[in-house]
């Protein structure tokens, strides 16, 4: 789907994926504690090998950003784990040294050219490149960007004492507060729209203030940047299966079903944050659940 330029068209929007990592990483029972071995086995015919590695017995997880270009602006949706971050509670993202900025440059975007950064939520794998280490200090990676944060999301993390945020401990301090202190943040509410083409929509459940970004390409072409509403396509046939990282299980299920229903009804493209290749897809109704159509 991605051309040699790295971009594909979503109506009038140009979209590119910038990868930080993609590997067989998660034991299914860790990612989806409620997914039985039998239920997983029933789907292996299409999950392997892009979404599940049967040799390793691990789910494939990509961590990537989406670059979206409107007529006027260059926007980054989610910023992966970032380099040099102290994440002892989550070794896969601890002290990374990965060429994510080079991959951003490969799709023609220098840090100075990013106009807006949008984070679907403030988990460690969605805010890392918000900042980088310069002379021992965390500074915004994108010096000319406005960073749009969900107000509800920020308030919920801000209300939790340091030391009580499990794998997200230290994340607000090194990847969000330096942006606010630099005067580059803007808090947004449900319905906030950028360039008439990207709309922030409240989709709480995975986290308290999680949002998805609706990309309106015009002429009925819509893409949904769904963040962590789903982590792996196995949740399409099993929409009630939450990740072990979802904060409000009932709300996460309800939101997932609502988004899948809409995507199936209108043939929207899903652009999640962690699906393995080809990283995007559509869905159709299949009885009480849904079927995934990659690409
Ligand atoms: Zn995530």
């Amino acid at each position: 789907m991605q051309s040699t330029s790295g971009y594909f068209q979503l109506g009038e929007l140009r979209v590119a994926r910038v990868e930080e990592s993609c590997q067989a990483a998660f034991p299914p029972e860790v990612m989806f504690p409620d997914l039985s071995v039998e239920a997983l086995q029933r789907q292996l015919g299409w999950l392997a090998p892009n979404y599940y590695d049967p040799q390793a017995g691990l789910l494939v997880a990509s961590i990537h950003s989406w670059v979206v270009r409107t007529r006027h602006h260059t926007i980054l949706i989610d910023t992966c784990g970032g380099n040099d971050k102290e994440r002892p509670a989550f070794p896969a993202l601890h002290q990374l040294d990965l060429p994510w900025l080079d991959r951003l440059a490969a799709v023609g975007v220098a840090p100075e050219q990013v106009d807006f950064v949008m984070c679907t939520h403030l988990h460690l794998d969605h805010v890392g490149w918000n900042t980088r280490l310069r002379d021992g200090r965390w500074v915004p990676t994108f010096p000319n960007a406005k960073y749009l944060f969900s107000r509800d999301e920020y308030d919920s993390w801000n209300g939790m004492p340091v030391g009580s945020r499990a794998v997200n401990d230290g994340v607000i301090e090194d990847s969000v507060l330096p942006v606010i202190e630099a005067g580059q943040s803007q808090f947004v509410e449900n319905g906030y729209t950028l360039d008439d083409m990207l709309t922030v929509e409240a989709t709480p459940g995975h986290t308290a203030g999680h949002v998805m970004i609706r990309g309106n390409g015009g002429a009925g072409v819509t893409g949904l940047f769904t963040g962590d509403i789903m982590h792996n396509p196995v949740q399409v046939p099993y929409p009630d299966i939450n990740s072990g990282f979802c904060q409000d299980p009932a709300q996460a299920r309800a939101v997932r079903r609502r988004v899948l229903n809409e995507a199936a009804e209108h043939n929207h493209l899903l652009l999640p944050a962690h699906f393995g290749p080809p990283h995007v897809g559509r869905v159709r109704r299949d009885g009480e659940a849904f079927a995934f159509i990659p690409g």
Side-chain angles (χ1 to χ4, degrees):
M1 172 157 217
Q2 205 149 331
S3 72
T4 50
S5 73
Y7 286 87
F8 60 90
Q9 293 290 141
L10 188 65
E12 292 176 33
L13 294 168
R14 294 173 67 216
V15 179
R17 194 183 67 92
V18 177
E19 185 170 290
E20 180 171 77
S21 61
C22 185
Q23 53 198 331
F26 278 99
E29 64 276 16
V30 171
M31 177 60 87
F32 302 118
D34 298 333
L35 178 64
S36 72
V37 173
E38 297 73 36
L40 177 65
Q41 291 289 340
R42 278 200 293 279
Q43 306 296 333
L44 283 194
W46 65 277
L47 284 175
N50 286 9
Y51 309 120
Y52 178 80
D53 178 340
Q55 262 92 47
L58 297 172
L59 293 164
V60 173
S62 172
I63 298 181
H64 53 245
S65 303
W66 296 104
V67 172
V68 183
R69 290 180 142 174
T70 69
R71 280 187 297 280
H72 306 295
H73 293 114
T74 298
I75 297 117
L76 203 50
I77 298 178
D78 287 336
T79 63
C80 306
N83 278 0
D84 303 309
K85 304 270 155 132
E86 281 289 323
R87 303 287 184 248
F90 201 88
L93 297 182
H94 182 60
Q95 289 286 353
L96 294 183
D97 179 17
L98 294 173
W100 182 88
L101 280 176
D102 295 340
R103 293 176 191 153
L104 184 66
V107 296
V109 179
E112 296 73 24
Q113 292 171 306
V114 174
D115 299 303
F116 293 93
V117 176
M118 304 174 93
C119 297
T120 58
H121 60 301
L122 301 182
H123 269 159
L124 66 169
D125 54 321
H126 295 259
V127 298
W129 277 105
N130 283 2
T131 58
R132 60 174 152 177
L133 203 52
R134 277 285 159 86
D135 303 323
R137 290 182 56 234
W138 295 109
V139 300
T141 306
F142 312 103
N144 301 316
K146 262 287 182 235
Y147 290 64
L148 308 181
F149 297 125
S150 154
R151 163 70 70 188
D152 290 345
E153 180 73 357
Y154 178 71
D155 286 351
S156 79
W157 288 109
N158 208 26
M160 291 184 212
V162 173
S164 72
R165 302 182 197 138
V167 295
N168 228 39
D169 260 328
V171 171
I172 304 301
E173 287 71 21
D174 63 34
S175 300
V176 178
L177 292 183
V179 172
I180 296 173
E181 283 157 12
Q184 289 181 242
S185 64
Q186 182 179 338
F187 291 104
V188 297
E189 316 270 350
N190 183 42
Y192 178 88
T193 299
L194 190 61
D195 291 345
D196 293 326
M197 301 180 96
L198 293 174
T199 300
V200 172
E201 293 191 13
T203 49
H206 177 63
T207 59
H210 186 286
V211 297
M212 81 173 175
I213 314 296
R214 178 182 299 267
N216 172 16
V221 177
T222 299
L224 303 177
F225 298 90
T226 51
D228 283 2
I229 293 171
M230 288 162 277
H231 287 75
N232 184 286
V234 75
Q235 289 169 287
V236 176
Y238 303 133
D240 294 330
I241 292 290
N242 284 326
S243 80
F245 307 106
C246 291
Q247 287 177 358
D248 185 325
Q251 205 173 31
R253 284 186 197 105
V255 159
R256 192 174 306 115
R257 278 199 175 267
R258 170 163 70 75
V259 169
L260 285 169
N261 256 316
E262 193 202 326
E265 186 162 331
H266 299 286
N267 201 32
H268 295 333
L269 186 68
L270 298 180
L271 302 98
H274 299 305
F275 282 18
H279 309 288
V280 300
R282 298 177 198 273
V283 298
R284 62 174 168 75
R285 281 210 179 79
D286 185 15
E288 291 294 299
F290 304 89
F292 187 62
I293 305 156

